[in-house]
Amino acid sequence: DAEITQSPRHKITETGRQVTLACHQTWNHNNMFWYRQDLGHGLRLIHYSYGVQDTNKGEVSDGYSVSRSNTEDLPLTLESAASSQTSVYFCASSDRGEETQYFGPGTRLLVL
Amino acid sequence: GENVEQHPSTLSVQEGDSAVIKCTYSDSASNYFPWYKQELGKGPQLIIDIRSNVGEKKDQRIAVTLNKTAKHFSLHITETQPEDSAVYFCAASRGGSYIPTFGRGTSLIVHP
């Protein structure tokens, strides 16, 4: 079955370190998204991509970057991790022309 | 940009009761309104959606209503069961953007 996976599921890192969270989908969806989820804030968009080589900033993009070199993957990089980036991160994808988003299981990141 | 307000933040009901979650949106151009359910430790999953050309949609025990004039939409769950306990998110988006703005979520607790 097609799916969307995230790795690692849990990560502990130190402030100042670079961290990369992986997202991989096998639906061949064009659109991919990264969100962070924090108590009291719901889901906030970090970055999104409409296809290979396309990336766009969301509402909370500072300190994060993404790259889209193929259809299946959209890795999220924290250039220099900060304690404020402790959160649960969700990747999602949707097909071209479709509104429904399919979410991965999430990565829980703790920055000490 | 779009702003989505969701109420209540927490809803506690007895098994068999009905539950109603309400959302308002600000952008009159929004025309797609999905609802996602997030179970503990998992990513959100679409449970029902409605487009602006429809006033109401039902799927078994869940229904969504939309009032375009007032810019609000609601999720109704009848005959609640313990397995309905989860966090529910409403969202709104413009057709063609494929980028929903999410509400902050409602934690629904169904007591057996």
Side-chain angles (χ1 to χ4, degrees):
Chain A
D1 282 346
E3 60 178 355
I4 182 167
T5 58
Q6 295 183 235
S7 62
R9 295 294 313 277
H10 303 270
K11 175 78 176 177
I12 300 174
T13 191
E14 297 176 342
T15 56
R17 289 190 180 263
Q18 184 180 80
V19 177
T20 296
L21 309 183
C23 175
H24 179 80
Q25 52 96 4
T26 59
W27 283 300
N28 204 36
H29 284 169
N30 286 92
N31 308 325
M32 295 186 73
F33 310 83
W34 273 104
Y35 295 91
R36 60 178 289 173
Q37 183 176 25
D38 305 286
L39 199 62
H41 289 278
L43 293 159
R44 292 184 291 175
L45 184 64
I46 305 172
H47 281 286
Y48 59 100
S49 168
Y50 288 136
V52 176
Q53 302 300 330
D54 176 73
T55 60
N56 305 278
K57 294 181 179 180
E59 64 173 303
V60 290
S61 61
D62 287 349
Y64 303 94
S65 64
V66 293
S67 61
R68 188 90 181 269
S69 59
N70 59 53
T71 301
E72 296 80 18
D73 299 289
L74 187 70
L76 177 71
T77 298
L78 287 66
E79 303 294 343
S80 177
S83 57
S84 59
Q85 295 176 309
T86 291
S87 186
V88 181
Y89 291 86
F90 287 99
C91 178
S93 71
S94 65
D95 202 2
R96 186 196 303 271
E98 295 293 330
E99 302 278 0
T100 302
Q101 294 195 353
Y102 298 87
F103 284 81
T107 293
R108 187 173 294 273
L109 177 67
L110 175 61
V111 183
L112 299 175
Chain B
E2 176 66 276
N3 182 49
V4 177
E5 299 283 343
Q6 182 172 348
H7 298 281
S9 57
T10 305
L11 180 59
S12 183
V13 300
Q14 290 295 129
E15 183 177 359
D17 287 350
S18 295
V20 180
I21 303 170
K22 298 182 179 182
C23 290
T24 61
Y25 62 99
S26 61
D27 186 353
S28 56
S30 289
N31 60 3
Y32 176 70
F33 307 92
W35 286 88
Y36 287 82
K37 175 183 180 182
Q38 184 181 25
E39 297 177 344
L40 198 61
K42 297 184 178 180
Q45 184 174 14
L46 180 76
I47 55 172
I48 195 167
D49 57 11
I50 192 168
R51 297 192 180 274
S52 59
N53 58 348
V54 175
E56 183 175 359
K57 184 176 180 180
K58 290 183 76 173
D59 183 3
Q60 299 183 347
R61 294 187 296 108
I62 61 173
V64 58
T65 58
L66 171 66
N67 183 326
K68 283 180 2 182
T69 304
K71 288 191 279 190
H72 67 71
F73 56 113
S74 301
L75 179 71
H76 305 254
I77 305 175
T78 59
E79 301 173 23
T80 54
Q81 300 168 4
E83 51 264 40
D84 295 328
S85 295
V87 177
Y88 291 81
F89 291 98
C90 65
S93 68
R94 291 184 174 205
S97 75
Y98 312 114
I99 301 174
T101 299
F102 286 88
R104 295 189 176 190
T106 296
S107 177
L108 173 65
I109 303 165
V110 181
H111 299 280

